[in-house]
Amino acid sequence: MSPLLPQEAAYCLALRKLLQDRLERARRHRDRGAMSAEAMIIIAALVLVAVTVMGIVTAKIISKANSINL
């Protein structure tokens, strides 16, 4: 039997170690990476506008497609 791990097992172990390290860093620095409430509100508003525009464009495309006579 080979003393080396299979390639898949090595990837899983490396990923596990990476995730544990990131979790440990996040616990040490709780305030790092936190977004302000103002930024969250602006992002939510932009998402709402994007979804609305996408709905309007989709409705117009479907309406135009349905009006074409085959």
Side-chain angles (χ1 to χ4, degrees), residues 25-45:
R25 286 184 188 189
R27 286 182 178 154
R28 272 190 272 144
H29 305 287
R30 290 193 182 272
D31 59 341
R32 187 182 284 179
M35 295 183 72
S36 66
E38 295 87 7
M40 295 297 285
I41 291 171
I42 291 170
I43 291 171

Side-chain angles (χ1 to χ4, degrees), residues 11-56:
Y11 286 143
C12 289
L13 289 174
L15 181 62
R16 181 174 175 235
K17 181 64 178 165
L18 175 71
L19 293 175
Q20 283 178 338
D21 183 55
R22 292 189 71 143
L23 184 61
E24 183 180 326
R25 286 184 188 189
R27 286 182 178 154
R28 272 190 272 144
H29 305 287
R30 290 193 182 272
D31 59 341
R32 187 182 284 179
M35 295 183 72
S36 66
E38 295 87 7
M40 295 297 285
I41 291 171
I42 291 170
I43 291 171
L46 290 173
V47 168
L48 181 64
V49 168
V51 168
T52 304
V53 169
M54 192 171 56
I56 292 170

